[in-house]
Amino acid sequence: MSQEGLNKSRLVNWTKGFKCSGVEGEDIVVLLHQAIARQKLMVRCVAVINDTVGALLAGAHLDEDCQIGIILGTGTNACYMENTSKIEKWRGDKDRQVVINTEWGAFGNNGCLDFIVTDYDKEVDLISKNPKEQIYEKMISGMYLGEVARQVLLRLAKDGCLFKGHISDQLNTPMMFYTKYLSEIESEDESEIKNIKMILEELDIYNYTLQDCMIIKRVCKVVSTRAAYLSAAGVVSLLKRVNRSFVTVAVDGSLYRYHPTFHDNMTEMTKKLLPDSKFQLKLSNDGSGVGAGLVAAISTRQIAVSRG
């Protein structure tokens, strides 16, 4: 998306598998207003923001130290407050702050992450609807983490290390090992396997051993921990960019909200990578919706004031 104004934004290209003709390169607000008019509705779009900016604004409304917003759900993205004096393309006042939408899910598209991309990541990318795009997102977001884990389990089964080499049709089907399984499996104590048993039944796997269950638990933990650590690396880069004595990071999204250890693992690695930084990761519950409401209210008030 190329933002040209508060309520003027052009779609550069679709992501996450979406594809509709006649939209790329167009002002989406104009298209939305045309669609609204066809339905004869009294609705007006006064601002265009994404869920990441919404999370930041909702967080900043309650906490003036909030300078970064992150979405960790089905997809992932981040934004932060930047001084306009640091933006080469900025043509307005140089003593203001604006929100920079990083679209960090596309980090790695140029190959800079190839040194940590595994064979499992490559398989996930290959079966996705957008190969060679959103590389970082495919390593850390809820849409793909379950599939990363499935690829590992599939390899182990093929090598005879799981289920005595038996692979069910369900396990052999892409995207059928859901990311919610990771949360359910990791929410149990180390020795508990009740949730794993239920998940294996959903996958039509009945002949398994206790060792199989322990291996599955370990795989899920490694996949989710890696995602949290990679997310922390992104947070560190933004904390260094913002460069304040204390920063609140507003985070929204189902993965961050529901996974039992994601927050703690992110915090742990952020501290390890940037030990002198003072920060907090704070859940921005439905921040994207609240932030959108705040922007709409402020924009409507400004329009009313300008009209006298």
Side-chain angles (χ1 to χ4, degrees), residues 26-42:
E26 299 294 328
D27 185 343
I28 62 170
V29 175
V30 172
L31 296 180
L32 177 60
H33 283 162
Q34 291 172 350
I36 291 171
R38 288 194 295 270
Q39 299 298 320
K40 296 180 172 58
L41 299 174
M42 297 295 291

Side-chain angles (χ1 to χ4, degrees), residues 1-278:
M1 198 77 73
S2 175
Q3 192 97 18
E4 300 174 7
L6 188 58
N7 65 340
K8 184 178 179 62
S9 189
R10 296 185 186 277
L11 180 67
V12 177
N13 59 269
W14 290 104
T15 61
K16 299 183 178 68
F18 290 100
K19 201 70 176 177
C20 297
S21 61
V23 184
E24 291 184 345
E26 299 294 328
D27 185 343
I28 62 170
V29 175
V30 172
L31 296 180
L32 177 60
H33 283 162
Q34 291 172 350
I36 291 171
R38 288 194 295 270
Q39 299 298 320
K40 296 180 172 58
L41 299 174
M42 297 295 291
V43 179
R44 181 182 60 188
C45 176
V46 295
V48 177
I49 66 170
N50 63 18
D51 51 359
T52 315
V53 175
L56 169 59
L57 296 179
H61 179 63
L62 300 174
D63 184 345
E64 63 182 11
D65 292 318
C66 185
Q67 294 286 304
I68 299 171
I70 296 174
I71 294 294
L72 283 165
T74 303
T76 185
N77 192 15
C79 65
Y80 71 100
M81 297 301 300
E82 180 65 281
N83 296 318
T84 53
S85 59
K86 296 181 180 180
I87 307 173
E88 292 183 8
K89 294 182 179 180
W90 187 260
R91 294 293 176 262
D93 297 336
K94 292 292 185 178
D95 58 350
R96 298 174 54 193
Q97 276 198 316
V98 293
V99 180
I100 298 294
N101 173 36
T102 68
E103 292 295 341
W104 79 3
F107 182 49
N109 289 8
N110 62 354
C112 64
L113 292 179
D114 286 356
F115 73 105
I116 58 171
V117 170
T118 67
D119 290 342
Y120 311 112
D121 296 312
K122 291 175 183 177
E123 288 296 325
V124 171
D125 183 56
L126 193 62
I127 67 171
S128 70
K129 295 180 180 179
N130 54 343
K132 301 187 184 304
E133 297 179 4
Q134 303 298 109
I135 301 302
Y136 188 52
E137 181 170 80
K138 289 171 182 173
M139 301 171 79
I140 68 175
S141 77
M143 178 177 284
Y144 302 102
L145 286 191
E147 180 59 20
V148 175
R150 188 191 73 89
Q151 290 292 339
V152 179
L153 298 176
L154 197 61
R155 174 77 65 84
L156 290 171
K158 287 179 178 179
D159 290 346
C161 301
L162 267 182
F163 317 129
K164 297 180 180 179
H166 173 71
I167 301 172
S168 69
D169 290 341
Q170 289 288 89
L171 183 61
N172 205 36
T173 303
M175 308 304 286
M176 288 305 292
F177 194 91
Y178 307 125
T179 298
K180 71 172 184 175
Y181 290 164
L182 276 67
S183 296
E184 292 169 357
I185 289 170
E186 293 183 69
S187 66
E188 291 186 309
D189 291 337
E190 197 68 31
S191 60
E192 292 182 351
I193 58 172
K194 180 182 177 182
N195 288 346
I196 293 179
K197 287 181 176 181
M198 290 190 294
I199 291 166
L200 289 176
E201 289 179 6
E202 290 183 28
L203 295 171
D204 290 333
I205 298 173
Y206 300 96
N207 295 320
Y208 54 84
T209 65
L210 177 60
Q211 184 179 18
D212 289 336
C213 294
M214 293 298 103
I215 290 173
I216 294 169
K217 188 181 285 281
R218 177 61 178 168
V219 168
C220 290
K221 183 177 181 179
V222 169
V223 170
S224 68
T225 301
R226 183 188 73 152
Y229 285 179
L230 287 172
S231 301
V235 172
V236 166
S237 68
L238 294 181
L239 287 173
K240 292 172 73 173
R241 181 71 181 185
V242 169
N243 191 28
R244 289 199 171 202
S245 58
F246 181 85
V247 175
T248 295
V249 182
V251 190
D252 195 8
S254 55
L255 177 62
Y256 180 83
R257 187 184 306 124
Y258 297 121
H259 191 280
T261 64
F262 212 92
H263 166 84
D264 290 344
N265 287 335
M266 271 186 73
T267 301
E268 171 202 335
M269 183 51 67
T270 303
K271 289 179 178 178
K272 187 174 182 179
L273 294 173
L274 205 61
D276 296 330
S277 179
K278 294 182 180 180

